[in-house]
Amino acid sequence: MLARGIAAAPALLLVDEPTAQLDQRTAATVSDALANIATEGTIIVVATHDARTRDACTDIIDLGRAA
């Protein structure tokens, strides 16, 4: 599904838990792919519990701390 979304070259991509249930190597590949399309101008909104995925983002809203 992620590959299909990337192939469409969207202006905005909403991604829910893109690295869930993946090993570290595959998760890093997914994060790299998202970073690459972000540098090409796609806005990517990611919902994640994975600290490594979160740390790869440029802007973060932590809903766990929103109170």
Side-chain angles (χ1 to χ4, degrees), residues 12-66:
L12 172 66
L13 185 62
L14 304 175
V15 186
D16 184 25
E17 298 289 351
T19 58
Q21 307 302 320
L22 298 178
D23 61 84
Q24 290 182 0
R25 182 176 177 186
T26 305
T29 300
V30 168
S31 293
D32 289 346
L34 291 173
N36 286 339
I37 64 168
T39 60
E40 294 172 4
T42 298
I43 297 168
I44 302 172
V45 178
V46 179
T48 187
H49 289 91
D50 182 355
R52 283 177 286 229
T53 301
R54 180 201 61 222
D55 293 344
C57 298
T58 57
D59 299 297
I60 299 169
I61 300 172
D62 187 342
L63 296 179
R65 296 183 185 185

